[in-house]
Amino acid sequence: MKLIPTIQSKKIVAFFLTITLFFVGAFYKLAILSPVSAGTFTSRSVTITDSRASATSVTYAYGFTTTVTTSIKQIDFKFCTQAGAWGDTCTAPTGLSTSSATRDSDNIAGTGRTDSAPAANSFRTVITTPSTQSTQAVTFSIGGMVNPSTTNTTFYARIITYSDTGTTEIDSGEAAFATLTSTSVAVSATVLENFSFSLAGVNSGGTVNSATTDITTTAATIPFGTLSSGDPNIGAHDVTVTTNAGSGYIVSAKAAADPPLSAGSNNIDYFSGTYASPAAWSSPNGSSQNVNTGFFGYTTEDTAHSGFQSNKWARADTTARAIVTNSGAASAETTRIGWQAEINVLQPAGSYTGTIILVATPTY
């Protein structure tokens, strides 16, 4: 429930910041079936840039390792509601569409590319002049995808390569992804592993990086309430991850828009500290309305990001930045992250809103 306090004067401003996050139901167990007659890709994964059901212009970034050096003439992708091998029954996810999809990039050996979408749930690239393919990590990115419309559901992306145009199989495999509700965000997962990610609110009177919280957050909101000049408000969240991914995971954060908070034509800007050089909090000192007359920033207690220690803060811009990092498996590992907002006397009155997107990505 959005709680937007009533504005009390021209020198105070109320706003409500929502957080959308990717939440994978605890411990998806994804069974992959491999064809007997050909190889199976290793280190298979797919990362999508937005997990919201029916989201458009989504990028699906694939990663896998080939098993042989055979030249790849054709690579096909097929999206299904059920796990299985390439030739098994495949039901197209409702709402998913490749009709506007484009190949953004790939590192398959060879020159010349012809892309097509043979069906609403498939995508194909034919390499004009293929070359010997090293048994290396292959990347393939498809942009312009439309997500399935079914919420809170796991789907499967089947992948197959051919040495010719669709007859002689080289390798195949499968990776999984999930859509959540219309307020959810990007999700990534690697098959055959367990992964869960959650966010919990923190009460007023807690601490984050030595700073004291003075608002109570929920799992999906940062209700800063009414801001007064010279009086910063601080909130926090606890990020909890469980995974058996051998190479660990990262949790990244970004603002959905620039500027991060707005009320009509008015805005609250990013804090001056940067991700590369977090800084001690300083009050906004802008002398023109909407130009550094309000600041919003974040911090993290993750010791892997030591620049944030000792109460340092950074700007929450539209570039995804890792705020929690772990290099190995984790069991209910919890890390606290914080949010701070402050205005000066020139900030225009209004009810300011914005969205922070959190994305968790395990690597197996």
Side-chain angles (χ1 to χ4, degrees):
M1 178 174 65
K2 294 188 176 181
L3 303 176
I4 304 177
T6 302
I7 301 165
Q8 300 175 357
S9 77
K10 293 183 179 179
K11 294 183 179 180
I12 59 175
V13 63
F15 69 93
F16 178 90
L17 177 64
T18 61
I19 282 188
T20 56
L21 71 153
F22 144 58
F23 178 84
V24 172
F27 299 40
Y28 278 125
K29 296 185 178 178
L30 311 175
I32 303 304
L33 305 178
S34 302
V36 176
S37 59
T40 301
F41 297 121
T42 59
S43 300
R44 306 175 302 280
S45 68
V46 56
T47 299
I48 62 176
T49 56
D50 196 329
S51 67
R52 290 173 290 186
S54 300
T56 60
S57 300
V58 182
T59 297
Y60 287 43
Y62 298 87
F64 53 87
T65 300
T66 54
T67 63
V68 294
T69 60
T70 305
S71 299
I72 296 174
K73 176 66 176 178
Q74 179 174 308
I75 182 169
D76 282 11
F77 300 84
K78 180 165 57 178
F79 304 95
C80 311
T81 60
Q82 60 273 78
W86 179 264
D88 291 347
T89 298
C90 173
T91 303
T94 301
L96 181 140
S97 176
T98 60
S99 61
S100 298
T102 59
R103 177 183 45 82
D104 289 343
S105 63
D106 72 83
N107 67 347
I108 296 175
T111 59
R113 303 287 191 270
T114 300
D115 303 318
S116 63
N121 67 323
S122 64
F123 188 85
R124 171 178 298 159
T125 293
V126 176
I127 292 81
T128 306
T129 308
S131 300
T132 300
Q133 183 70 43
S134 300
T135 52
Q136 63 180 19
V138 173
T139 58
F140 198 105
S141 180
I142 303 174
M145 295 285 296
V146 178
N147 277 350
S149 56
T150 308
T151 63
N152 301 316
T153 304
T154 298
F155 300 96
Y156 302 88
R158 302 178 189 178
I159 314 166
I160 191 169
T161 55
Y162 298 96
S163 60
D164 49 26
T165 52
T167 301
T168 307
E169 178 182 341
I170 304 172
D171 285 318
S172 64
E174 183 175 58
F177 64 98
T179 55
L180 303 181
T181 67
S182 60
T183 57
S184 299
V185 294
V187 57
S188 62
T190 300
V191 298
L192 297 176
E193 302 292 350
N194 294 330
F195 177 61
S196 67
F197 169 46
S198 64
L199 198 67
V202 174
N203 290 331
S204 174
T207 60
V208 56
N209 256 351
S210 301
T212 301
T213 61
D214 52 11
I215 65 168
T216 295
T217 61
T218 72
T221 65
I222 306 173
F224 277 121
T226 299
L227 291 180
S228 299
S229 174
D231 181 20
N233 285 6
I234 299 173
H237 280 96
D238 286 334
V239 176
T240 301
V241 174
T242 295
T243 181
N244 57 358
S247 297
Y249 67 89
I250 64 169
V251 178
S252 64
K254 69 176 182 179
D258 179 7
L261 306 173
S262 61
S265 61
N266 298 316
N267 62 265
I268 290 177
D269 294 318
Y270 306 121
F271 177 58
S272 56
T274 66
Y275 180 77
S277 299
W281 187 264
S282 59
S283 298
N285 59 1
S287 58
S288 298
Q289 286 190 319
N290 296 313
V291 181
N292 295 327
T293 55
F295 281 155
F296 171 68
Y298 70 91
T299 189
T300 175
E301 291 188 347
D302 186 4
T303 56
H305 302 279
S306 58
F308 287 90
Q309 304 307 299
S310 301
N311 199 15
K312 299 294 178 61
W313 299 77
R315 56 190 291 169
D317 56 25
T318 54
T319 299
R321 315 281 190 182
I323 57 172
V324 181
T325 302
N326 187 291
S327 60
S331 177
E333 182 174 78
T334 299
T335 304
R336 182 159 292 183
I337 57 178
W339 319 97
Q340 186 164 189
E342 184 179 356
I343 62 169
N344 69 18
V345 294
L346 297 179
Q347 184 64 42
S351 294
Y352 289 75
T353 60
T355 298
I356 293 294
I357 298 176
L358 298 181
V359 178
T361 302
T363 301
Y364 296 93

